[in-house]
Amino acid sequence: MKFRESNPRKEIMPNGTKKELVVGDCVVRAIVHATDKGYKEVFKELTEYALHHPSCLPINFPEVYEDYLYDLGFTKHKPKKNSKGKTYCVNKFPIEEGKKYIILTSGHLTAIVDGEHLDSWDSGDYRANSYYQI
């Protein structure tokens, strides 16, 4: 699978300033890649969802982003495993053509859309744990 660097955060930081080094927004970036929504829209909507989970206000808590993903029509699936019973790495994740995936790795969300792994950095060697599909 081909990796393509893509950072939708540039919608809010178009000049490539040092602020581009911001981390912790992988949830927003993965959802932007897998939907037709913009960065600001996803961030705002996730913030609204977080207000309904006062015990876990950050938008990158699973309780927050899972509710949002379910409402967008995504379903959560257990990890896919190869013939040796091991989970696939993101760059080897078996996909169906035309499908969109949000992959949960250890502490990171990333997206696969139209056969491309889209993220601001290459997490292709990370193990794909559970995943969301629309």
Side-chain angles (χ1 to χ4, degrees), residues 48-62:
E48 290 294 322
Y49 274 72
L51 294 173
H52 298 288
H53 294 281
S55 62
C56 50
L57 277 178
I59 62 176
N60 58 354
F61 274 36

Side-chain angles (χ1 to χ4, degrees), residues 22-43:
V22 173
V23 294
D25 69 337
C26 66
V27 170
V28 177
R29 287 185 282 111
I31 294 170
V32 168
H33 284 124
T35 65
D36 292 326
K37 294 177 174 280
Y39 189 95
K40 288 179 184 180
E41 180 182 8
V42 170
F43 186 89

Side-chain angles (χ1 to χ4, degrees), residues 44-76:
K44 181 180 177 184
E45 290 174 353
L46 278 169
T47 301
E48 290 294 322
Y49 274 72
L51 294 173
H52 298 288
H53 294 281
S55 62
C56 50
L57 277 178
I59 62 176
N60 58 354
F61 274 36
E63 294 88 343
V64 174
Y65 69 76
E66 281 188 351
D67 281 356
Y68 183 62
L69 288 172
Y70 295 149
D71 285 349
L72 291 175
F74 284 85
T75 54
K76 186 176 183 178

